[in-house]
């Protein structure tokens, strides 16, 4: 029993969310001041090296490749877009990759437990509403007034992930439920 508790504590202590900084490996092409900026053409406005949340300052630091640093108020910063068109939203100190914009917004975030990498999924009703972890409980809370969505949730086997994605349709299951339930 002590061994199991020790392993559980070790796992919890080594849990790291790599969301305080933007993902590496792709160049940032532009800063998004609000969610409406997503619809604008992806034209690089600066040669941005990195975007970092500085909790102690309550601000976003934008590091330009020429060595300059811009400080942005978090109330005037929605997220950023990479050259490959991936969009990241900043919410409550974390960056979330926008996976799908539709009847609701689906986000993902890479998480690391020790050497293991897994992807967690989140959602928000609109691009500007709070981001919630994609769980049965949160979906029931948000869609409490949509009996059709609640029925779909009840039909879903517990072994099937809530964030199931259809490669054929290129969309998440919850998006189909919302379309079918209109």
């Amino acid at each position: 029993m002590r061994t199991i508790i020790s392993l559980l504590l070790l796992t919890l202590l080594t849990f790291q969310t790599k969301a305080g900084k933007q993902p590496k490996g792709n160049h940032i092409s532009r800063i998004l001041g609000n969610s409406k900026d997503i619809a604008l053409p992806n034209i690089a406005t600066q040669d941005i090296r990195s975007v970092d949340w500085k909790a102690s300052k309550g601000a976003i630091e934008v590091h330009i490749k020429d060595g300059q640093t811009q400080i942005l108020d978090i109330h005037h910063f929605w997220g950023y877009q990479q050259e490959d068109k991936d969009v990241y939203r900043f919410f409550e100190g974390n960056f979330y990759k926008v996976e799908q914009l539709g009847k609701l917004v689906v986000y993902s975030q890479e998480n690391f437990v020790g050497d293991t990498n897994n992807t967690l999924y989140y959602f928000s009703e609109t691009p500007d509403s709070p981001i919630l972890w994609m769980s049965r409980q949160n979906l029931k809370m948000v869609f409490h007034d949509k009996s059709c969505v609640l029925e779909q949730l009840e039909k879903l086997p517990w072994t099937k992930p809530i964030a199931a994605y259809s490669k054929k349709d290129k969309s998440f299951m919850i998006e189909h439920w919302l379309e079918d339930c209109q």
Side-chain angles (χ1 to χ4, degrees):
M1 184 68 171
R2 282 185 175 172
T3 305
I4 292 171
I5 293 172
S6 296
L7 287 172
L8 184 60
L9 285 173
L10 180 64
T11 300
L12 290 173
L13 291 174
T14 59
F15 183 79
Q16 298 175 339
T17 302
K18 304 277 185 172
K21 293 189 174 193
Q22 86 283 352
K24 302 292 183 213
N26 206 325
H27 295 82
I28 298 168
S29 62
R30 66 182 176 142
I31 299 299
L32 304 170
N34 60 56
S35 61
K36 293 177 181 78
D37 290 348
I38 297 170
L40 299 174
N42 186 13
I43 300 170
T45 54
Q46 296 170 315
D47 201 6
I48 301 168
R49 187 181 66 206
S50 67
V51 177
D52 299 318
W53 160 236
K54 298 297 181 184
S56 62
K57 296 178 183 178
I60 298 291
E61 282 187 0
V62 178
H63 302 278
I64 312 300
K65 287 190 179 173
D66 67 6
Q68 294 180 12
T69 299
Q70 292 180 351
I71 306 296
L72 301 177
D73 182 294
I74 60 171
H75 299 102
H76 301 288
F77 177 81
W78 187 88
Y80 64 89
Q81 187 166 17
Q82 294 181 328
E83 287 176 356
D84 66 0
K85 303 209 187 313
D86 283 343
V87 173
Y88 288 82
R89 178 180 173 194
F90 177 77
F91 180 74
E92 294 186 351
N94 291 297
F95 289 98
Y96 298 85
K97 181 179 179 185
V98 176
E99 295 288 348
Q100 183 171 316
L101 283 165
K103 301 282 183 200
L104 80 161
V105 184
V106 178
Y107 306 89
S108 68
Q109 193 178 67
E110 296 297 316
N111 288 283
F112 299 87
V113 178
D115 292 335
T116 306
N117 178 14
N118 63 348
T119 303
L120 296 178
Y121 290 93
Y122 301 84
F123 73 99
S124 64
E125 289 184 88
T126 69
D128 297 312
S129 59
I131 295 176
L132 301 169
W133 178 53
M134 192 175 289
S135 68
R136 288 174 192 265
Q137 182 178 357
N138 286 339
L139 288 168
K140 286 179 183 179
M141 178 182 65
V142 170
F143 298 110
H144 68 276
D145 58 344
K146 296 191 187 305
S147 59
C148 181
V149 173
L150 296 175
E151 289 171 19
Q152 294 294 334
L153 268 170
E154 292 302 321
K155 288 181 196 173
L156 184 69
W158 283 94
T159 55
K160 188 162 183 159
I162 294 290
Y165 182 79
S166 168
K167 289 182 182 178
K168 177 184 163 196
D169 300 332
K170 296 184 180 179
S171 68
F172 287 85
M173 178 174 47
I174 185 71
E175 186 72 18
H176 291 290
W177 293 351
L178 291 170
E179 286 176 11
D180 294 345
C181 291
Q182 283 190 355

